[in-house]
Amino acid sequence: MRKDKKLILYDVLLVVLSLYLALLLRLDFRIPTEYMEFFKLSIIPAIIITIFFNKIFRLYDSIWKYASIEELMSIVYSITLSNVVILIYSYFINYKLLETRYIRFPYGVHIIFWLLCVVTLGGMRFRYRVVDEINSEKNCTKKKKRLLIIGAGDAAALLIKEIKRSNNLNYDIVGLIDDDSFKKGKMISGAKVIGGREKIKNICELKNVEEIILAIPSANVERKREIINICKDTNAKLKTLPGIYEIIDGKVSISKIRDVNIEDLLGREEVKLNSENINKYIKDKVILVTGGGGSIGSELCRQISKFKPKKLLILDIYENNAYDLQMELNFNHPELNKEVIIASIRDEKRLREVFEKYKPEVVFHAAAHKHVPLMENNPVEVIKNNIIGTYNVVKFSHEYDVKKFVQISTDKAVNPTNIMGASKRFCEIIIQAFDSISKTEYVAVRFGNVLGSNGSVIPLFKKQISRGGPVTVTHPEINRYFMTIPEAAQLVIQAGAMAKGGEIFVLDMGKPVKIVDLAKDLIRLSGYQPGVDIKIKYTGLRPGEKLYEELLMNEVALTSTEHDKIYVEKPEDNSIEFVEKSINEFRKIINEDNESIFNLVEKKVPTYRRKKQ
C-alpha cells in the first residue's frame, strides 16, 4: 500500500480513537447513551472534515523523515481548522435524540479532541523521522569526529540542526564556544555552551576535538582573526561559514562550510571604495581588461561589472580561463554587455583591430608573465610579452584616445634582482613616458603578492600538505607582502579613479609575512603539527629571488592620498625617445642569446642588479 494511503487509514483510526478518548476523559469514563449516539452520528463528518483539511495542508505529500517545525505547524493548523468546523457542525446541526432537548458535545470534548489529534496525528508522522535517525545511528559504521562549534547564535543553531539531520555530517558535537557570558551553560538543540574563547585550547585538549567550525559569519575580520589565531594552536582542523550572505533563507548548506584559509588569517577589513569617483570613469564606458582571464584580471572584471560599464572587453591569450569567467559573468551579471577576445598583446595587427573595432575608453593592463624563476630561464619571453606587449597596448591606447590607462605593476619592480621585476619596472617607464606626450592618463599600480593567485605559494603549500609533505620553503628568513585578490582589484580600480597621469600608486600591503610562518599556519589550519606531522624543507633561494621585497623606490618619498590604503610616488621624467629607442633594441635582440638580453635590460633599467648564479 502506498505511504499516503496508509497515512489516510491511520488518520481515520486516530480521529475515531481521539474523539472517543476525549469523550471518556471529559465525562469521567462514563459516557451517557445520548452522547454515545451523538458520537456515532458525528464520527463520519469528523473523519471527512479532518482528511479534507489534511489534504489542504498537504500532510499526505510531505517526506516525513525530513520533517521540521514547518510540518509541525501544518499539522496544528489543519487540526485547528478541522475542530472549528466540527464544533460549528455540532452546534448548528443538532440531532433530536430525545423529545425534550437537543444534544451536542461539551466544549471540553473539543479541546481534548484537538490536543489528542495534535499528539496522535503529529506523533505518528514524526515517528518516521525518529526511526530514520535511529537507523542512521545504527548504520553509521564510521567513527564520529569530535566537533567544537565557535559561536552560539542563529548560524550555530542552524548548523547543529543540519548536522543532526544529515547523514553526511558525521560529527559528535562536544559543545559551543561564545564570549557572551549570558549564554554560558545554556543549551542549543542539546549542545551546551561551554564558555568563551579562553576555553578553546583547554576544551580541545580535554575532549580530543578533531574539528572546529567557526559559526560566526557576521563577525568582523579582526575578531575572526583573533579566534583563528587561538584555534590554530590546537590540533583540530578548522572550518568556517564564510559570510552571513551565504546563509540563504535560514538554511545552512554543507556546501557553505569550507576549510579556514590562510586568507582568513591574514585578511583585513573590507576595502571601502569611493563609488562616486569610480562611477565617473567606468559607468557607461567601454572597458578593456588585458589578461582578463588571469587571477587579477578576472577579479578586475568581476569588480568592474558592478559599476555597469557600457561594454566590458575581456582580452586573453588563454581561452579556458576567459571562457570560465564568461560563464561566471553570464550567471552573476546576465545584463552585462561583454565580449571575450582571444588575442595576444604581442600581435600588433590583431591588437590594432581590437582598438579600431571597440574604441575602449579605459584600459586595465594585467597581461604579463609573472613567475620569477621561469622567466630567469626564458628571458626572451619576458621581452616579447612584458615589455614589447605592454608597449603595444600603451601605444594603441595613445593612438585611439583612450581616456585612462592603468598598468598593473609589482613590488618586484623596485630595485629588481630578476628580469621579471626589471621588465615591470621598464613598463612603468613606458607609461610615464607616454603620459608626457599623450592626452591619455597613464598610471601604474604597484602591489605585492596576491593570496590564492595562479602560481602563488598558497596553492603549492596546500598540495604539498595534502600529499603529506614536506612543505618546501626557499629560505627561513624570506618574507613577502600579501593581500587578497578582491582587495588588490578594488584598490587598483580606486587608484584609477584618483589618477591624473604619470603616477605610480603604491598599495598599503600591511606588514610583510615570513613565508615559513605562512607555511606553519597553513599546516596547523589543516589539523597537523609543523615539523611533526608535516615537515618543512628549505630548498635555497631560486634564481633572481630576493629575501625581502620593497614597495617603493628608496630615493623617492611617498605621498598619502584621499584613500588610506593608497599612496603615490611623484612622476619621474622619462622621455618617449628613450622608450622608442629601447623598444627597437629589444626587438632586435630577441633572436640573440640570453646573456645579451640580460645585459641590455641592465642598461635600460638602472636599478636592476642581476644576481649571478
Side-chain angles (χ1 to χ4, degrees):
M1 188 184 294
R2 283 179 53 186
K3 191 170 284 187
D4 56 344
K5 290 182 178 179
K6 276 187 179 181
L7 280 173
I8 293 173
L9 179 59
Y10 290 151
D11 285 350
V12 170
L13 296 173
L14 290 171
V15 167
V16 175
L17 180 62
S18 297
L19 188 55
Y20 184 69
L21 283 173
L23 275 168
L24 284 173
L25 292 168
R26 172 65 180 81
L27 300 171
D28 298 325
F29 292 92
R30 290 190 301 272
I31 306 175
T33 303
E34 62 269 26
Y35 282 121
M36 197 65 206
E37 288 297 323
F38 190 65
F39 168 77
K40 291 175 183 177
L41 290 170
S42 300
I43 196 62
I44 297 300
I47 290 170
I48 293 171
I49 291 167
T50 302
I51 291 173
F52 171 77
F53 280 107
N54 283 356
K55 280 186 170 291
I56 291 293
F57 284 94
R58 307 180 68 88
L59 296 186
Y60 301 114
D61 298 331
S62 296
I63 301 174
W64 289 97
K65 73 174 184 176
Y66 301 120
S68 64
I69 191 69
E70 290 85 0
E71 285 75 20
L72 176 60
M73 293 310 298
S74 294
I75 292 169
V76 172
Y77 296 147
S78 174
I79 292 171
T80 300
L81 286 171
S82 299
N83 272 268
V84 169
V85 174
I86 291 167
L87 177 63
I88 294 169
Y89 165 83
S90 69
Y91 190 81
F92 288 106
I93 306 175
N94 287 289
Y95 293 89
K96 191 174 182 182
L97 300 178
L98 300 172
E99 292 182 0
T100 56
R101 63 193 180 97
Y102 293 94
I103 298 297
R104 61 179 177 79
F105 291 135
Y107 289 121
V109 170
H110 292 283
I111 295 171
I112 297 170
F113 178 51
W114 180 87
L115 287 169
L116 289 173
C117 282
V118 170
V119 171
T120 56
L121 271 69
M124 186 270 299
R125 282 163 168 77
F126 274 84
R127 75 180 176 84
Y128 286 106
R129 176 170 173 176
V130 173
V131 169
D132 183 70
E133 289 183 359
I134 292 171
N135 289 336
S136 295
E137 291 283 339
K138 288 180 179 178
N139 296 331
C140 184
T141 56
K142 292 169 64 178
K143 180 178 176 290
K144 288 193 172 186
K145 293 179 182 177
R146 296 181 65 74
L147 173 69
L148 180 66
I149 298 175
I150 310 293
D154 292 342
L158 292 166
L159 178 60
I160 294 167
K161 179 181 175 182
E162 178 140 337
I163 287 171
K164 292 194 171 184
R165 72 189 292 180
S166 172
N167 293 330
N168 297 320
L169 294 170
N170 194 33
Y171 288 121
D172 176 19
I173 302 172
V174 303
L176 306 170
I177 293 292
D178 200 289
D179 289 333
D180 186 347
S181 58
F182 175 76
K183 294 179 180 178
K184 186 177 179 181
K186 301 291 193 299
M187 306 284 283
I188 298 179
S189 300
K192 186 176 181 180
V193 181
I194 305 171
R197 69 178 75 178
E198 73 282 353
K199 297 274 189 180
I200 292 174
K201 291 182 184 178
N202 191 37
I203 291 166
C204 287
E205 188 175 339
L206 289 176
K207 296 185 177 288
N208 298 315
V209 173
E210 297 170 81
E211 285 195 15
I212 298 172
I213 295 180
L214 272 65
I216 45 173
S218 59
N220 60 35
V221 173
E222 187 60 36
R223 184 184 168 207
K224 278 187 179 179
R225 190 191 304 122
E226 289 171 0
I227 293 171
I228 292 171
N229 273 320
I230 296 171
C231 294
K232 77 179 185 183
D233 291 330
T234 69
N235 291 327
K237 184 171 184 179
L238 267 66
K239 292 187 175 181
T240 185
L241 289 172
I244 196 69
Y245 60 89
E246 294 192 64
I247 301 177
I248 301 170
D249 295 332
K251 294 179 182 177
V252 177
S253 166
I254 180 62
S255 64
K256 302 291 187 298
I257 303 171
R258 62 164 173 80
D259 290 348
V260 168
N261 293 323
I262 203 73
E263 289 92 331
D264 298 308
L265 194 58
L266 297 180
R268 290 173 277 179
E269 291 294 342
E270 184 180 355
V271 174
K272 293 179 176 62
L273 297 178
N274 186 328
S275 298
E276 185 180 347
N277 288 346
I278 293 172
N279 269 327
K280 286 179 183 176
Y281 86 103
I282 288 183
K283 187 177 181 182
D284 297 327
K285 302 292 195 303
V286 178
I287 312 293
L288 169 64
V289 181
T290 69
S295 304
I296 295 296
S298 61
E299 185 61 28
L300 282 170
C301 292
R302 293 183 191 99
Q303 300 293 339
I304 289 166
S305 300
K306 299 174 184 177
F307 293 95
K308 299 179 181 177
K310 180 179 178 182
K311 191 179 189 71
L312 176 61
L313 306 172
I314 304 166
L315 187 146
D316 206 292
I317 188 62
Y318 184 48
E319 74 275 18
N320 290 353
N321 285 347
Y323 175 78
D324 289 343
L325 178 63
Q326 182 184 38
M327 294 301 101
E328 179 188 330
L329 293 177
N330 283 346
F331 181 79
N332 292 330
H333 298 279
E335 78 293 344
L336 179 66
N337 182 11
K338 62 187 171 301
E339 188 155 344
V340 172
I341 303 165
I342 304 303
S344 170
I345 59 172
R346 303 178 182 188
D347 188 340
E348 278 190 88
K349 182 175 180 295
R350 174 75 172 120
L351 205 55
R352 182 179 288 280
E353 289 172 357
V354 170
F355 276 82
E356 180 67 39
K357 180 178 179 180
Y358 297 104
K359 303 291 193 305
E361 297 165 87
V362 179
V363 174
F364 290 91
H365 179 45
H369 289 317
K370 64 179 184 179
H371 296 287
V372 170
L374 288 179
M375 294 306 101
E376 288 298 294
N377 295 326
N378 300 276
V380 66
E381 298 305 312
V382 181
I383 303 302
K384 289 178 183 177
N385 200 64
N386 291 15
I387 294 180
I388 297 176
T390 295
Y391 173 79
N392 292 337
V393 183
V394 170
K395 179 181 69 173
F396 291 133
S397 295
H398 165 61
E399 291 181 13
Y400 287 89
D401 294 323
V402 167
K403 170 65 177 169
K404 199 178 292 277
F405 182 102
V406 182
Q407 161 77 32
I408 306 301
S409 193
T410 170
D411 55 356
K412 293 174 179 62
V414 182
N415 300 320
T417 58
N418 54 73
I419 197 165
M420 193 286 287
S423 71
K424 298 296 279 186
R425 175 57 192 150
F426 192 81
C427 291
E428 294 176 352
I429 293 171
I430 292 173
I431 65 116
Q432 289 182 322
F434 267 88
D435 187 76
S436 65
I437 63 158
S438 177
K439 294 179 180 178
T440 303
E441 295 173 351
Y442 289 95
V443 298
V445 182
R446 189 188 288 162
F447 53 87
N449 297 272
V450 178
L451 288 167
S453 62
N454 294 331
S456 72
V457 72
I458 303 300
L460 173 62
F461 285 170
K462 286 181 176 178
K463 287 180 184 177
Q464 292 174 334
I465 291 168
S466 69
R467 292 196 298 258
V471 171
T472 56
V473 179
T474 57
H475 192 283
E477 295 301 319
I478 193 168
N479 69 20
R480 291 291 182 266
Y481 292 93
F482 286 98
M483 66 168 40
T484 64
I485 294 175
E487 185 180 21
Q490 289 169 5
L491 288 174
V492 165
I493 294 170
Q494 184 70 73
M498 296 160 55
K500 294 181 174 60
E503 305 100 330
I504 296 177
F505 288 98
V506 180
L507 304 188
D508 175 11
M509 299 292 294
K511 296 178 181 177
V513 178
K514 275 191 176 183
I515 301 299
V516 68
D517 291 340
L518 205 63
K520 288 176 181 177
D521 283 345
L522 204 56
I523 292 169
R524 291 190 187 101
L525 293 177
S526 302
Y528 302 107
Q529 284 297 308
V532 179
D533 304 310
I534 304 288
K535 303 292 184 185
I536 295 176
K537 181 181 177 183
Y538 297 106
T539 58
L541 290 176
R542 298 171 298 179
E545 190 171 44
K546 288 181 182 181
L547 272 180
Y548 312 100
E549 295 294 357
E550 305 154 87
L551 283 177
L552 61 151
M553 305 295 281
N554 290 336
E555 66 272 15
V556 181
L558 288 182
T559 305
S560 60
T561 67
E562 63 193 60
H563 196 286
D564 60 0
K565 289 189 178 182
I566 302 175
Y567 297 85
V568 62
E569 271 189 12
K570 66 181 183 182
E572 291 183 359
D573 293 327
N574 290 293
S575 72
I576 193 66
E577 292 77 19
F578 169 74
V579 167
E580 299 282 6
K581 181 172 180 288
S582 299
I583 292 296
N584 288 332
E585 292 179 55
F586 283 129
R587 281 178 171 150
K588 290 175 183 176
I589 208 168
I590 56 177
N591 295 318
E592 297 188 22
D593 61 274
N594 288 355
E595 195 60 34
S596 299
I597 293 172
F598 282 118
N599 289 337
L600 181 59
V601 173
E602 280 186 305
K603 290 178 184 176
K604 300 301 177 182
V605 182
T607 55
Y608 174 36
R609 295 292 179 266
R610 180 187 173 196
K611 283 189 174 182
K612 299 291 179 71
Q613 300 301 312

